[in-house]
Amino acid sequence: MTQVTFAKLKKITPQVRYCAKQENISALQLSKKIANGQAVIFSSSLGRTKHICAVGSGLKTKVNVNIGASTDKSDVGLELKKLRESINLKADTVMDLSVGESIDKMLQLILRNSSIPVGTVPIYQAASIAEKKKGSFLKMDVDTIFKSLETQAKQGVDFFTIHCGITKESLSVLKKSRRLIPMVSRGGAIISAWMKAQNKENPFFEYFDDILDLAFKYDIVLSLGDGLRPGAIADATDAAQIKELKVLGQLVTRARAKDVQVIVEGPGHVPLNQIEKNILLEKKFCKNAPFYVLGPLVCDVASGYDHITAAIGGALAAFYGADFLCYVTPAEHLRHPTLEDVRDGLIASRIAAHSADIAKGIKDANLWDNQMSYARNKRNWKKLISLSIDPEKSSKLRHSIRPKDLKTCTMCGKYCSMKLIERCLN
Amino acid sequence: MTQVTFAKLKKITPQVRYCAKQENISALQLSKKIANGQAVIFSSSLGRTKHICAVGSGLKTKVNVNIGASTDKSDVGLELKKLRESINLKADTVMDLSVGESIDKMLQLILRNSSIPVGTVPIYQAASIAEKKKGSFLKMDVDTIFKSLETQAKQGVDFFTIHCGITKESLSVLKKSRRLIPMVSRGGAIISAWMKAQNKENPFFEYFDDILDLAFKYDIVLSLGDGLRPGAIADATDAAQIKELKVLGQLVTRARAKDVQVIVEGPGHVPLNQIEKNILLEKKFCKNAPFYVLGPLVCDVASGYDHITAAIGGALAAFYGADFLCYVTPAEHLRHPTLEDVRDGLIASRIAAHSADIAKGIKDANLWDNQMSYARNKRNWKKLISLSIDPEKSSKLRHSIRPKDLKTCTMCGKYCSMKLIERCLN
């Protein structure tokens, strides 16, 4: 039985009760959203984590952090530091995107140390096994893929990204496209290269029913990956992207029929004026399944600052109805992220999510801001720092230079507007 | 004769020709916009700067950097470094917001070293003179204010912020409001405190015709300041803000009748869902005068990261029709900005401006992105770095860790999607 099954039976689970409380809504309301597929709960049947969360329509916008080793940079200690810092800075979920040799060890440690839901891209493990056993991921067999899924499910992973929208047909649409950058999805490219080498259909698509059975068994949320997401604003909302989105929409229907929780992944690089349309298309084709966006980045030229391009796009996407933001770090497009990059990326995404929550009227989202503004007007610096999204950074900036008048700051000093106007209005 | 006079006479000035070329539009098109007040050119009659620019409807979104001493931190060398760095990083204009004793020297040096248009808030100089001569800015006389305006005009300042929308009437609306933070404008608070102390009307409002005569004489662009801009999202778009905006709209009409170039300043702290409305109200009440926004910041809690909250709001504001973005640094609300803060603030605003230009269809705005994406797909790292918005930062991140395969990066390494898909599609 999954959360969907219970919800359809109108049984309120402890998980629903816990998440509803976090969301400031009734358990019944949340249960209804889960029954009709508008929300999911990340909480595999193993019950590994206490701090689970729900994602979906009308709920607070959640933020995911990606960590994990790459083939070039594999340092378990560093990735665990990133995990701890992400939890401290209130990430809602974390994905271990490790590739390469240290996958198993990394995932084990991350699961052991994570108090929040964990997601993975199981094809990375399958690819790594094939590399080891057969010398190339292109020789990976379907059994290996399924074994990786089951292994990770048994370890306690809460959600899987599976690139099931890449099919022979959608790749043929891609081939005919004149994209500036044909593909930017690592998982999507692995699958595509494998399909070409083996001349086979995508096993995630072909054996989708088997994946559903496994997801049902462990109540894993399936995150339907967008292997064809645009990686350049010129490629946004093109035929290849929409073709894949429609495939994902069909798979959403199949997942729901089997009581499997499912969300859909989205772009990518999208100009500001196409963001609303992208959200509406996902909600339409995927029947209001929760939308998990990577960005969107609103221009292509800001390497080194893509946490900002993603915060702009993410805020707007969430405002228009995206439910779940994947963080982007300043290192995006340039290097494997450092601890500092993770910090910067997470805070930027949290700003985007919170700003959208205020704007879309999530209940009491603005209370935090009102407390902050009250403290600011009183020049209550201690309170102001403790309320800020990153008290450590605020404190550092505030205390880097001592104001002459401790009730003001070094910017306006004696001309502090809040101080001056106080006298005028009294 | 001002740029407006020439434009109304259908005479194309060298300044219009220069700016039109930058904008990729015809000189006649730009001249028409100036004649009807939809655009201005920052280029005082003294012809101090070569790199002038136009601001207005249908033109590229421009970015302003604020520098200058505070009463707590006054270091001429540092401010000149900020100026140089801002010019390097392609700020369009700079405002010297110095307050305190070093105002004259600072402005002189900034004007001498700035190759871009310079703006000021002349009330700061008047306040400083009154402090020196009479012991308090509250004792400032109207003559001193006008002398400051003329002195700075003669020095070659290109635009003035004057807080002329703060009137006895608008302050009475403020008094009745239940704002969390009554006032966050330094210039506005100085004027308000002076009005209260002297029990007089705002001289910028009362003697607006004299200001227009002076602005006409030197062809200074007047930037009508928003002393009542909201400083908390709870205060956004309230009666006090709208009252002031309507006053500014009336003053726009009076400025146009006297051939004075004029722009209007805007908020501030505004939630995402009220940004479009704010732009539409300004365009309506101020008859399409160019709109210069400070932010808007889309939440109140991100002290230490307000360059990001401002980039989110600024991108959206510019997309909906704001013409000119004032940068906000990470130091906002916390301290006088460092050189690094200025850098971060400027780049964030430039990202916002450029992303909006792509989205609102500014001609060829996306060419830069397309070149970048082409280079990215080819993994042409040298080109990719040189095309990025801050090549120095991109280079630093790229070269902080050496990839095993120099054609990829350390994030995806051997699983580089662009490399993998190349083989599939050929």
Side-chain angles (χ1 to χ4, degrees), chain B residues 20-35:
Chain B
K21 205 173 163 186
Q22 284 183 311
E23 301 290 342
N24 251 326
I25 61 173
S26 75
L28 190 66
Q29 278 176 300
L30 180 55
S31 178
K32 274 184 190 165
K33 286 176 196 283
I34 290 166

Side-chain angles (χ1 to χ4, degrees), chain B residues 135 153 222 346 424:
Chain B
L222 293 183
L346 172 53
C424 294

Side-chain angles (χ1 to χ4, degrees), chain A residues 24-187:
Chain A
N24 252 326
I25 62 174
S26 76
L28 191 66
Q29 277 176 300
L30 180 56
S31 178
K32 274 184 190 164
K33 287 176 195 282
I34 289 166
N36 68 24
Q38 289 190 343
V40 298
I41 288 185
F42 294 117
S43 136
S44 83
S45 62
L46 299 183
R48 187 191 46 78
T49 55
K50 262 193 351 193
H51 298 284
I52 59 174
C53 68
V55 159
S57 155
L59 309 182
K60 287 175 203 155
T61 306
K62 305 302 184 301
V63 172
N64 174 73
V65 159
N66 291 332
I67 59 174
S70 78
T71 50
D72 283 40
K73 176 86 185 169
S74 179
D75 175 343
V76 175
L78 172 63
E79 299 311 314
L80 288 178
K81 268 189 207 160
K82 291 180 186 173
L83 172 66
R84 275 191 288 272
E85 188 71 343
S86 300
I87 295 169
N88 283 343
L89 291 173
K90 300 184 185 163
D92 296 292
T93 63
V94 62
M95 290 192 78
D96 174 12
L97 298 190
S98 293
V99 290
E101 291 180 9
S102 54
I103 285 189
D104 294 337
K105 189 179 162 198
M106 192 71 84
L107 181 58
Q108 214 171 15
L109 284 167
I110 286 173
L111 285 166
R112 194 183 302 156
N113 287 280
S114 177
S115 57
I116 56 177
V118 173
T120 60
V121 183
I123 191 78
Y124 296 159
Q125 191 186 47
S128 159
I129 292 170
E131 291 277 347
K132 245 179 271 177
K133 286 199 183 158
K134 302 188 172 179
S136 168
F137 74 89
L138 296 171
K139 295 182 185 157
M140 178 167 60
D141 52 47
V142 175
D143 259 9
T144 307
I145 298 176
F146 273 85
K147 267 186 198 147
S148 291
L149 285 165
E150 184 123 30
T151 306
Q152 298 197 344
K154 280 183 183 162
Q155 282 180 278
V157 170
D158 304 282
F159 61 110
F160 285 156
T161 290
I162 52 167
H163 296 89
C164 45
I166 293 199
T167 60
K168 285 189 171 179
E169 217 182 313
S170 59
L171 282 179
S172 84
V173 176
L174 178 66
K175 228 172 181 169
K176 277 178 232 144
S177 81
R178 300 169 59 88
R179 280 195 166 185
L180 278 177
I181 308 182
M183 196 176 283
V184 293
S185 158
R186 198 163 62 175

Side-chain angles (χ1 to χ4, degrees), chain A residues 70-73 99 127 131 137 174-175 180-186 189-190 192-193 196 232-234 269 271-273 298-305 307-309 311-312 315-316 319-320 330-331 333-337 343 347-348 351-352 354-356 358-359 368-370 372-373 376-377 381 384 388-390 393-394 397-398 400-401 403-404 409-415 417-418 420-421 423-426, chain B residues 70-73 99 127 131 137 174-175 180-186 189-190 192-193 196 232-234 269 271-273 298-305 307-309 311-312 315-316 319-320 330-331 333-337 343 347-348 351-352 354-356 358-359 368-370 372-373 376-377 381 384 388-390 393-394 397-398 400-401 403-404 409-415 417-418 420-421 423-426:
Chain A
S70 78
T71 50
D72 283 40
K73 176 86 185 169
V99 290
E131 291 277 347
F137 74 89
L174 178 66
K175 228 172 181 169
L180 278 177
I181 308 182
M183 196 176 283
V184 293
S185 158
R186 198 163 62 175
I190 290 173
S192 303
K196 166 95 173 177
I233 55 161
H269 291 234
L272 273 171
N273 57 320
V298 291
C299 69
D300 303 336
V301 297
S303 290
Y305 299 88
H307 60 314
I308 297 179
T309 54
I312 296 172
L316 206 56
F319 171 50
Y320 287 129
H333 304 112
L334 289 169
R335 71 171 177 199
H336 189 255
R343 236 186 170 274
I347 296 286
I351 290 171
H354 175 62
S355 303
I358 295 167
W368 181 15
D369 301 79
N370 293 351
M372 179 67 149
S373 293
R376 184 168 282 149
N377 192 46
W381 291 95
L384 196 154
S388 66
I389 198 161
D390 180 359
K393 174 100 183 270
S394 281
L397 264 61
R398 165 73 182 164
S400 63
I401 161 172
K404 288 180 186 166
C409 88
T410 52
M411 182 63 211
C412 296
K414 65 183 285 187
Y415 295 110
S417 62
M418 290 176 268
L420 289 178
I421 204 70
R423 290 188 217 143
C424 293
L425 297 180
N426 288 334
Chain B
S70 78
T71 50
D72 283 39
K73 175 88 184 168
V99 289
E131 292 276 348
F137 73 89
L174 177 67
K175 229 172 181 169
L180 278 177
I181 309 183
M183 196 177 283
V184 293
S185 158
R186 197 164 60 176
I190 290 173
S192 303
K196 168 95 172 177
I233 55 160
H269 291 233
L272 272 171
N273 57 320
V298 292
C299 69
D300 303 336
V301 296
S303 289
Y305 299 87
H307 60 315
I308 297 178
T309 54
I312 295 172
L316 205 56
F319 171 50
Y320 287 129
H333 304 111
L334 289 168
R335 70 171 178 200
H336 189 255
R343 235 186 170 275
I347 295 285
I351 290 171
H354 174 63
S355 303
I358 295 167
W368 180 17
D369 301 81
N370 294 350
M372 180 66 150
S373 293
R376 185 168 282 150
N377 192 46
W381 290 95
L384 196 154
S388 66
I389 198 162
D390 180 358
K393 172 100 184 268
S394 281
L397 264 61
R398 164 74 183 164
S400 63
I401 162 171
K404 288 181 185 165
C409 87
T410 52
M411 182 63 209
C412 296
K414 65 182 287 189
Y415 294 111
S417 62
M418 291 177 265
L420 288 177
I421 203 70
R423 291 189 216 141
C424 294
L425 297 180
N426 289 334

Side-chain angles (χ1 to χ4, degrees), chain B residues 86-146:
Chain B
S86 299
I87 296 170
N88 283 343
L89 291 173
K90 300 185 183 161
D92 296 292
T93 63
V94 62
M95 290 192 79
D96 174 12
L97 298 191
S98 292
V99 289
E101 290 180 10
S102 54
I103 285 191
D104 294 338
K105 190 179 163 198
M106 192 70 85
L107 181 58
Q108 215 172 14
L109 283 168
I110 285 173
L111 285 165
R112 194 185 300 155
N113 287 281
S114 176
S115 57
I116 56 176
V118 172
T120 59
V121 183
I123 191 78
Y124 296 160
Q125 191 185 45
S128 159
I129 291 170
E131 292 276 348
K132 244 180 273 178
K133 286 196 181 161
K134 303 187 172 180
S136 167
F137 73 89
L138 296 171
K139 295 181 184 159
M140 180 168 57
D141 54 46
V142 176
D143 260 10
T144 307
I145 297 177
F146 273 86

Side-chain angles (χ1 to χ4, degrees), chain B residues 86-368:
Chain B
S86 299
I87 296 170
N88 283 343
L89 291 173
K90 300 185 183 161
D92 296 292
T93 63
V94 62
M95 290 192 79
D96 174 12
L97 298 191
S98 292
V99 289
E101 290 180 10
S102 54
I103 285 191
D104 294 338
K105 190 179 163 198
M106 192 70 85
L107 181 58
Q108 215 172 14
L109 283 168
I110 285 173
L111 285 165
R112 194 185 300 155
N113 287 281
S114 176
S115 57
I116 56 176
V118 172
T120 59
V121 183
I123 191 78
Y124 296 160
Q125 191 185 45
S128 159
I129 291 170
E131 292 276 348
K132 244 180 273 178
K133 286 196 181 161
K134 303 187 172 180
S136 167
F137 73 89
L138 296 171
K139 295 181 184 159
M140 180 168 57
D141 54 46
V142 176
D143 260 10
T144 307
I145 297 177
F146 273 86
K147 268 186 196 145
S148 291
L149 286 164
E150 184 123 30
T151 307
Q152 297 197 344
K154 280 183 181 162
Q155 282 179 278
V157 171
D158 304 282
F159 62 108
F160 286 156
T161 290
I162 52 167
H163 296 90
C164 45
I166 294 199
T167 60
K168 285 189 171 181
E169 218 182 311
S170 59
L171 282 179
S172 83
V173 177
L174 177 67
K175 229 172 181 169
K176 277 177 235 146
S177 81
R178 300 169 60 90
R179 280 195 166 184
L180 278 177
I181 309 183
M183 196 177 283
V184 293
S185 158
R186 197 164 60 176
I190 290 173
I191 283 291
S192 303
W194 181 91
M195 288 166 66
K196 168 95 172 177
Q198 305 245 350
N199 192 24
K200 282 185 183 156
E201 184 51 279
N202 179 352
F204 290 118
F205 178 77
E206 194 170 2
Y207 306 108
F208 190 67
D209 278 322
D210 300 305
I211 293 172
L212 290 178
D213 292 342
L214 188 120
F216 181 84
K217 186 173 165 193
Y218 295 94
D219 201 1
I220 303 262
V221 174
L222 293 183
S223 184
L224 309 187
D226 56 336
L228 292 174
R229 68 174 171 270
I233 55 160
D235 301 333
T237 334
D238 72 348
Q241 183 196 333
I242 300 304
K243 171 69 196 170
E244 182 184 47
L245 187 64
K246 286 183 180 169
V247 174
L248 298 184
Q250 289 159 2
L251 299 178
V252 165
T253 305
R254 284 168 62 187
R256 284 185 184 166
K258 286 203 171 187
D259 288 4
V260 169
Q261 302 195 88
V262 65
I263 65 177
V264 172
E265 296 185 10
H269 291 233
V270 181
L272 272 171
N273 57 320
Q274 291 179 29
I275 292 178
E276 183 175 17
K277 186 177 166 192
N278 267 268
I279 309 299
L280 295 176
L281 287 175
E282 189 273 347
K283 295 289 176 186
K284 181 181 159 198
F285 293 137
C286 302
K287 296 104 194 163
N288 297 311
F291 198 21
Y292 176 27
V293 291
L294 175 57
L297 313 194
V298 292
C299 69
D300 303 336
V301 296
S303 289
Y305 299 87
D306 277 322
H307 60 315
I308 297 178
T309 54
I312 295 172
L316 205 56
F319 171 50
Y320 287 129
D323 308 286
F324 191 23
L325 303 182
C326 187
Y327 92 151
V328 172
T329 79
E332 186 76 16
H333 304 111
L334 289 168
R335 70 171 178 200
H336 189 255
T338 63
L339 184 61
E340 199 58 29
D341 292 332
V342 168
R343 235 186 170 275
D344 285 342
L346 172 53
I347 295 285
S349 277
R350 283 194 57 215
I351 290 171
H354 174 63
S355 303
D357 284 351
I358 295 167
K360 63 184 174 185
I362 294 292
K363 198 180 159 201
D364 294 340
N366 59 347
L367 284 187
W368 180 17

